[in-house]
Amino acid sequence: MSYMPGVCTFCGTGCGHYLKVDGTSVQGVFPSRVHPVSKGRLCVRGWNIHELLSTQERIIRPYVKDSGQVSYKDAIAKLVSALSLYKPEEIAFYASPRSSNEDNFALMKLARLVFKTNNISLQAESGHRNSLDVLYNGTGFAGMLGSLEDIRKAEVLIVAGMDITTQNPIIGSELHYAARSGSLLITIDSRMTKIAKLSKKFINCKPGTMRMVFDAIAYYIDKQQWGDTKSAHYEEYKKYLATVPFDSIEKETGVLPAEVAFVAERLIKAKSAAVFFSSGISGLSYDTVASIYNLFALAGKIGKEGCGVNPIAGINNLQGSFDMGCAPDLLTGYQSIDDATSKKKFEKKWGQELPTFKGKTVEQLLSDSSSPLKALVIVDHDDGIVKYADRLKSLPFVAYIGAFTNKVVDFAHVVLPITTYIETDGTFTNTERRVQLASQKCAPAFDVMPMWKLIDAIAEAKSIPFNYKSASDVMDEIASLTPAYEGISYTLLSKKHGVQWPCTKKNHDGTKYCVPEKVSFVLPHKPYAAVQATQEYPYLLMLGKAQHYWHQNNIMHKTFIPLREYNATLLLYPDGYVAIAPEDAKQIGVRDRWPVKVVAEKASMKAMVMISDDVAPGTAYVPYFIREGIASFLLAYSDIVSQGEEATIPVRIEKV
Amino acid sequence: MYLIKKNDVKKIAKALEEKYTLYGPYLDEAFGQCFFDKVSADNIDLNAPIPANPPKHVVFPHLETIMQYKYDKNAKKADIAMVFDDVPKALFGLRSCDLTGLQCIDRFFLGQEFVDEVYRHHRSRMFIVANTCVVPFKQCFCVCTDSGPAAQEGYDLNLTDLGDSYLLEVGSEKGKAFIESFNFPKATQEHVTQKQKLVEKSITMFEDIATESKAWVSRVMNRVTTGFIKEEVWEYIGNQCIECGACSYVCPTCTCFNINDANTIAGNTERLRTWDSCSYEGYSRMAGGHNPRKPIEDRRNKRFFCKLSYSQSKKYLRPGCVGCGRCAWVCPGDIGLPNVVTYIRREIHE
């Protein structure tokens, strides 16, 4: 009777599983048949998560540079004394989207209450924050509007710029199932993906023009007067739509007007429709998310069963981490730190004033060498390649808190170990707002502390104890401060496969799909700025993140079979690769796996060629941070890289 | 042949528990899913549905240490030790399809030129009590693969629920020696007849797809063996595969495995054996990068050749599929074996 129910903590799908636990070791995995999200299915990562949980590549003892292994007490004292040397503006906390809600809440509380800093942010791309901003501005909900269970109820399904079957395979399989059952599945992307191959309609747009495509569909709907014009700010939105160059849409985006009309017509006729786009590992810009959302608002596909504007998180607790306020300007539940009422509520609960200076993300602080950053606390760094290595090296103080060994440890002055997620209780919020409890399944394999307990100890060392007796206490505090989590408690969660917030005391079953009180159009910030190829730089280079994120994922390197499967491409292209179409390969004069030099205006890199039909002529596709050389190239374009899925760089590809 | 009161079945389990580590079906307390795993006699539920997980994990674990070694760099010497699991095991309430699966695995690990010693240690000193399925479960199709609903061989004891009591059949000398000390009353020919009727009735209760023609699977076996299946069918099947490996993991007859060495914090190295799957691209990739089964459809083809071809029957004396239906439950792409058979038959009829 050693199979214990739990939640898979690889990606944001939040599948249910059982772990076979014997003493302190995990010896097998089995899916949970009745789990509402996964329905008895797991992907290659989920089926082999026990390999990660059995790894011996753990941090097992606190460590202080120049002192070696020390006790927790000594390490904490060192951490506290180091951080106390600096002003709040000089300290930053780098939270992990893989940490549980309780751990992230405690960290946020430590940063704001104890060290008085608003410099707290997540180790994830900005994409999900863009999604939350748009959805909050449009509906008041900072999370997925739809529900994964509703995929089968949607008549029209749109996947935008996302290799969803590779990134979130179980959601991908649900879309596959719906498509086979009669739903119209449409993929809009710049590259052929597995989901595109199974779609009834694949719309191939030029890189960087997805926003215009969605606006063109909305333009067509508005022109035909099919749209729902009752949402707020419609007049401003209409003015914006007038700027869409519909007459030259094919030239601008590569999409035929007939294709635009097809999607528009089917979207309007359907009773229910949902859209899925990547958010997190590889997100979209604010304006693109706004365009997608606005289209669904105009089509009247907000707040109904089977409908949803659905950002898909690639990391397991990305949604939950934002819910816990791990952002410079957010408190829990997307309450703004600038909102006087929310701030007062927290100050009353915590008994002290919160910092008021405008915080910055760690990415901002690290990328700007003139920033005041001097001390950084990193939790569970996931990337296998350390960005900003030089900057980290130059910081006077770096602390690392994590369960598994990785390269960031080398930069740390203090290292503090924590438990894995099966060694303590914790909740995780999946991409559809489902808060799930992963109960403790075994005692810690090594003498390590849960993170929420460690944070409490650090706070106590600063004479501001949090007095948590259990992870359940942390959730109770979260519930007391967060309207969307108001009704959530361990007592409730232990009987269910999670609850989708908003969950109030009157609404214990949670909310499957969000019905906003008011729907507003969300106006974009910037005009269209699609990058164009030039004579000197004739190829548009796309950056792939989702599909290859797991290559360099630190915890993936602690497994065997998932590592083998995700590293398959690396074995063939050890120097990294750039994927191009067969026609382009012929023109350049190269064959598969031949070396080339990719030259852009600000940087260049060497890579191998992958010849693929998935890439359209005139475009190229390079995986993100797959090799140091590629990492250096992309760092020169970090402003473009931050655009996520739509990042496009004009390049020249030379045979060497 | 013995007749046992229902209350007395627990006695057998308790007696086994004294000498063996007991494995049996039980319902998970949290959400009611049935597992086959270590259990106490009191918690065994013989009426539970077919276990979600295949009992093969008892003898072929998902993750297992098979060897330990420690290399002393200074002395240039390696201490090597095999790791065996010698715990006696009793599998209580094994369904006939899972018993058949165990026989397939036996033939793979023990019945060929090289005997797998790790497996043999698991398998020795094992006591098997089978349980006849008087009612099939929703996904089952063992009647198509000659795997049930009643066990034919390979058990020490076999139980059949006659309604008000159990019929107990002895299948081995070990079983006979074990059961004689209980002084259970002998069963009569009438009880044997009753069992036969129950089994025949059970066969009629399978889903239509399994009963309208017992040739449902065998016709496809013919096609798979001779290779007369259009490329388009495999491509269609391959497009639905998301390469999760679930079909192999839940299959009672799949023996794919991988070997890895892992360093421990204590300083020695453990050689680990893990389940693997021919679904994975890396499974068939060779050193140097060549992969004879890189396209997904080729891997699907290989899998179903393994499950359904006659050459597999010649090698292992029976089909590679036991009809438990688990692959249909866990497949995210809906290409568990029953659906694949349906696709192929659809092609045959066109």
Side-chain angles (χ1 to χ4, degrees):
Chain A
M1 306 184 72
S2 47
Y3 279 90
M4 301 184 183
V7 182
C8 182
T9 57
F10 265 108
C11 74
T13 309
C15 298
H17 68 188
Y18 285 85
L19 292 177
K20 182 167 155 54
V21 180
D22 187 5
T24 58
S25 75
V26 186
Q27 298 175 331
V29 182
F30 210 81
S32 171
R33 280 189 180 180
V34 295
H35 193 272
V37 172
S38 49
K39 301 183 180 105
R41 302 166 296 186
L42 292 172
C43 72
V44 58
R45 304 184 298 250
W47 269 108
N48 295 288
I49 194 170
H50 63 295
E51 291 178 354
L52 165 67
L53 297 169
S54 298
T55 186
Q56 297 264 314
E57 295 179 58
R58 294 275 300 273
I59 303 171
I60 63 173
R61 243 178 244 106
Y63 172 88
V64 172
K65 190 171 275 188
D66 299 333
S67 300
Q69 292 182 346
V70 297
S71 67
Y72 265 110
K73 186 181 175 187
D74 291 342
I76 290 170
K78 173 69 180 178
L79 172 75
V80 167
S81 66
L83 291 182
S84 299
L85 295 176
Y86 306 108
K87 295 190 234 100
E89 292 85 352
E90 296 169 339
I91 300 169
F93 288 79
Y94 213 12
S96 170
R98 191 167 304 282
S99 299
S100 68
N101 290 327
E102 290 74 14
D103 292 349
N104 270 331
F105 178 81
L107 187 75
M108 188 272 287
K109 187 175 178 182
L110 183 76
R112 294 200 148 106
L113 180 62
V114 177
F115 292 104
K116 306 297 182 190
T117 182
N118 280 323
N119 293 336
I120 178 168
S121 66
L122 287 170
Q123 302 168 44
E125 303 302 322
S126 59
H128 199 56
R129 181 57 196 272
N130 289 334
S131 304
L132 299 184
D133 285 346
V134 170
L135 295 175
Y136 184 78
N137 292 338
T139 67
F141 290 99
M144 184 196 266
L145 298 186
S147 180
L148 298 175
E149 282 177 283
D150 277 6
I151 288 173
R152 298 185 186 193
K153 299 174 184 172
E155 284 184 30
V156 171
L157 296 159
I158 298 177
V159 176
M162 177 185 189
D163 198 349
I164 195 167
T165 310
T166 301
Q167 179 176 326
N168 298 68
I170 299 308
I171 299 177
S173 71
E174 194 75 0
L175 293 168
H176 288 202
Y177 184 93
R180 287 197 304 276
S181 302
S183 299
L184 173 64
L185 179 58
I186 300 169
T187 295
I188 301 174
D189 206 333
S190 303
R191 198 175 64 97
M192 177 69 68
T193 55
K194 190 176 182 70
I195 194 76
K197 287 168 186 167
L198 275 163
S199 297
K200 284 266 181 29
K201 189 71 178 176
F202 171 49
I203 294 179
N204 195 333
C205 61
K206 289 182 185 177
T209 65
M210 185 172 303
R211 171 185 169 191
M212 190 178 290
V213 173
F214 276 92
D215 280 337
I217 299 168
Y219 174 95
Y220 187 89
I221 290 175
D222 192 59
K223 195 85 170 181
Q224 304 294 318
Q225 296 182 39
W226 294 339
D228 180 342
T229 59
K230 294 184 289 294
S231 301
H233 306 304
Y234 170 70
E235 292 303 323
E236 295 97 312
Y237 179 57
K238 192 178 175 66
K239 280 180 191 166
Y240 165 74
L241 283 184
T243 69
V244 175
F246 191 84
D247 292 338
S248 58
I249 199 69
E250 183 176 358
K251 173 170 165 285
E252 298 281 349
T253 66
V255 176
L256 299 175
E259 290 177 310
V260 170
F262 171 82
V263 177
E265 196 169 305
R266 296 299 296 263
L267 189 58
I268 285 293
K269 283 183 178 174
K271 290 194 189 69
S272 53
V275 60
F276 301 83
F277 50 95
S278 184
S279 197
I281 292 179
S282 182
L284 300 174
S285 66
Y286 181 95
D287 290 342
T288 301
V289 178
S291 293
I292 295 172
Y293 164 79
N294 287 332
L295 170 62
F296 273 68
L298 185 67
K301 299 299 186 288
I302 303 279
K304 297 170 182 171
E305 188 177 37
C307 295
V309 178
N310 303 325
I312 302 298
I315 305 177
N316 65 315
N317 203 29
L318 182 58
Q319 175 69 44
S321 301
F322 275 111
D323 291 346
M324 294 302 114
C326 293
D329 57 329
L330 293 179
L331 296 167
T332 60
Y334 211 84
Q335 301 173 94
S336 172
I337 199 163
D338 295 325
D339 180 63
T341 306
S342 304
K343 188 160 174 285
K344 196 169 296 179
K345 176 172 64 174
F346 275 76
E347 288 174 336
K348 185 180 177 185
K349 179 79 177 183
W350 289 352
Q352 292 199 26
E353 286 187 0
L354 296 184
T356 55
F357 75 91
K358 188 176 177 63
K360 288 185 175 178
T361 68
V362 172
E363 291 277 332
Q364 289 169 337
L365 293 166
L366 286 175
S367 61
D368 177 10
S369 56
S370 67
S371 74
L373 182 67
K374 288 188 169 58
L376 178 63
V377 179
I378 304 172
V379 179
D380 261 343
H381 193 268
D382 244 18
D383 285 342
I385 291 179
V386 183
K387 293 182 279 180
Y388 310 114
D390 292 339
R391 187 68 205 280
L392 282 178
K393 207 172 296 179
S394 71
L395 291 179
F397 183 76
V398 177
Y400 183 78
I401 297 172
F404 301 102
T405 59
N406 63 52
K407 293 179 179 177
V408 178
V409 171
D410 297 338
F411 297 92
H413 299 86
V414 170
V415 179
L416 291 158
I418 53 175
T419 53
T420 63
Y421 84 97
I422 59 166
E423 294 169 340
T424 183
D425 292 332
T427 60
F428 300 88
T429 306
N430 78 347
T431 193
E432 61 164 1
R433 304 170 277 103
R434 184 180 297 270
V435 186
Q436 303 190 84
L437 173 61
S439 300
Q440 179 175 2
K441 293 170 180 57
C442 60
F446 309 99
D447 191 16
V448 294
M449 290 173 66
M451 181 170 144
W452 57 267
K453 206 168 194 178
L454 171 65
I455 300 296
D456 199 345
I458 296 171
E460 191 166 353
K462 270 288 258 185
S463 304
I464 310 176
F466 296 168
N467 291 320
Y468 296 134
K469 299 295 187 295
S470 65
S472 178
D473 287 352
V474 187
M475 178 50 74
D476 289 344
E477 182 170 332
I478 294 166
S480 69
L481 292 166
T482 314
Y485 281 63
E486 184 193 49
I488 293 176
S489 67
Y490 274 35
T491 305
L492 177 73
L493 294 180
S494 63
K495 303 172 189 128
K496 290 172 178 287
H497 291 294
V499 173
Q500 287 168 277
W501 66 252
C503 174
T504 64
K505 284 173 178 166
K506 297 174 183 174
N507 177 29
H508 276 311
D509 288 336
T511 307
K512 268 203 181 184
Y513 54 92
C514 300
V515 184
E517 286 178 18
K518 177 189 173 190
V519 175
S520 306
F521 289 106
V522 177
L523 298 180
H525 294 338
K526 299 171 185 172
Y528 293 115
V531 179
Q532 296 291 337
T534 65
Q535 186 83 29
E536 188 182 4
Y537 302 110
Y539 299 100
L540 293 178
L541 186 72
M542 294 179 279
L543 309 181
K545 292 183 179 177
Q547 184 170 358
H548 299 282
Y549 170 74
W550 298 104
H551 274 82
Q552 284 296 348
N553 185 267
N554 177 54
I555 61 176
M556 188 63 68
H557 279 240
K558 310 292 194 270
T559 66
F560 302 122
I561 287 177
L563 177 63
R564 182 190 73 193
E565 294 310 302
Y566 282 98
N567 266 8
T569 315
L570 274 179
L571 295 180
L572 290 175
Y573 304 95
D575 294 331
Y577 67 83
V578 56
I580 58 177
E583 302 97 290
D584 293 339
K586 194 170 182 180
Q587 188 174 339
I588 298 169
V590 293
R591 292 187 186 175
D592 198 63
R593 298 174 71 184
W594 283 21
V596 291
K597 189 179 182 185
V598 180
V599 182
E601 187 179 357
K602 287 194 271 187
S604 68
M605 63 174 165
K606 289 180 180 177
M608 301 167 85
V609 157
M610 175 196 277
I611 299 174
S612 170
D613 285 329
D614 291 346
V615 184
T619 68
Y621 173 89
V622 71
Y624 176 71
F625 277 94
I626 195 175
R627 275 292 183 256
E628 300 285 347
I630 297 176
S632 303
F633 177 91
L634 295 180
L635 270 184
Y637 285 92
S638 32
D639 54 333
I640 292 180
V641 170
S642 66
Q643 293 172 31
E645 192 66 41
E646 297 179 284
T648 309
I649 305 170
V651 297
R652 179 171 76 247
I653 301 178
E654 299 172 346
K655 184 179 172 182
V656 300
Chain B
M1 294 278 189
Y2 298 89
L3 200 66
I4 303 175
K5 293 175 184 173
K6 286 206 152 173
N7 292 337
D8 288 339
V9 173
K10 281 285 193 337
K11 287 183 185 176
I12 301 177
K14 283 189 186 297
L16 286 172
E17 201 169 27
E18 290 169 13
K19 304 178 194 169
Y20 301 89
T21 297
L22 195 64
Y23 290 81
Y26 69 92
L27 297 177
D28 164 59
E29 279 177 16
F31 299 112
Q33 184 155 315
C34 180
F35 285 99
F36 195 96
D37 194 33
K38 276 184 203 178
V39 70
S40 69
D42 292 325
N43 293 107
I44 288 182
D45 186 348
L46 288 179
N47 294 317
I50 185 171
N53 63 332
K56 75 175 179 181
H57 77 87
V58 178
V59 290
F60 179 39
H62 203 158
L63 177 71
E64 177 178 28
T65 303
I66 61 176
M67 190 175 88
Q68 285 175 344
Y69 64 90
K70 184 160 192 170
Y71 179 63
D72 188 333
K73 197 178 292 186
N74 297 320
K76 293 185 181 174
K77 177 191 161 203
D79 293 317
I80 302 175
M82 292 297 297
V83 177
F84 297 120
D85 177 7
D86 285 320
V87 177
K89 304 178 182 69
L91 309 189
F92 197 92
L94 201 61
R95 298 290 178 180
S96 58
C97 58
D98 287 328
L99 176 58
T100 308
L102 198 59
Q103 289 169 352
C104 289
I105 295 179
D106 284 352
R107 289 165 190 169
F108 176 83
F109 282 116
L110 304 175
Q112 305 194 78
E113 183 179 352
F114 295 101
V115 171
D116 188 300
E117 290 296 330
V118 174
Y119 182 86
R120 192 173 66 78
H121 278 258
H122 279 294
R123 191 66 174 83
S124 63
R125 286 190 284 168
M126 177 174 280
F127 197 97
I128 296 173
V129 180
N131 188 10
T132 303
C133 298
V134 293
V135 176
F137 302 101
K138 184 172 167 63
Q139 81 273 14
C140 299
F141 57 100
C142 60
V143 289
C144 300
T145 59
D146 193 28
S147 311
Q152 308 288 331
E153 61 182 346
Y155 56 83
D156 298 302
L157 299 174
N158 186 21
L159 295 166
T160 304
D161 185 348
L162 300 181
D164 53 358
S165 57
Y166 275 99
L167 178 68
L168 179 73
E169 297 162 274
V170 173
S172 73
E173 287 297 323
K174 191 195 308 184
K176 183 182 177 189
F178 177 83
I179 206 67
E180 279 177 343
S181 60
F182 284 87
N183 292 318
F184 289 125
K186 301 280 188 176
T188 66
Q189 183 59 40
E190 179 186 326
H191 297 119
V192 176
T193 304
Q194 189 178 350
K195 177 203 168 183
Q196 285 164 356
K197 286 182 178 176
L198 283 170
V199 170
E200 285 163 5
K201 184 183 177 187
S202 176
I203 291 173
T204 67
M205 293 168 70
F206 279 77
E207 294 280 314
D208 288 350
I209 198 164
T211 56
E212 65 187 7
S213 172
K214 290 198 180 64
W216 179 64
V217 168
S218 62
R219 184 72 189 280
V220 171
M221 285 179 172
N222 179 277
R223 282 279 172 151
V224 168
T225 304
T226 54
F228 288 154
I229 296 175
K230 291 176 186 169
E231 277 302 311
E232 290 83 4
V233 176
W234 290 122
E235 279 177 26
Y236 181 76
I237 292 166
N239 275 337
Q240 289 167 224
C241 179
I242 69 161
E243 304 169 73
C244 62
C247 50
S248 301
Y249 287 12
V250 299
C251 182
T253 69
C254 277
T255 53
C256 304
F257 63 82
N258 195 18
I259 301 286
N260 291 280
D261 286 352
N263 297 323
T264 69
I265 287 175
N268 60 330
T269 302
E270 291 178 345
R271 178 153 292 177
L272 304 170
R273 174 155 79 181
T274 63
W275 288 351
D276 207 333
S277 172
C278 52
S279 303
Y280 297 140
E281 182 182 340
Y283 182 77
S284 55
R285 186 171 59 235
M286 299 174 175
H290 175 60
N291 192 338
R293 288 191 204 100
K294 189 174 173 68
I296 297 175
E297 55 263 31
D298 286 356
R299 292 179 242 146
R300 297 296 76 198
N301 187 328
K302 188 261 180 271
R303 169 175 173 75
F304 292 106
F305 188 88
C306 187
K307 296 298 139 190
L308 295 172
S309 73
Y310 290 146
S311 59
Q312 192 76 3
S313 297
K314 291 199 294 183
K315 190 175 184 184
Y316 294 118
L317 307 181
R318 61 156 289 102
C321 175
V322 298
C324 67
R326 290 189 180 94
C327 54
W329 276 83
V330 296
C331 180
D334 261 355
I335 47 168
L337 191 134
N339 264 6
V340 169
V341 168
T342 300
Y343 294 149
I344 295 174
R345 283 183 61 87
R346 183 185 299 156
E347 183 216 343
I348 292 171
H349 288 312
E350 277 169 6

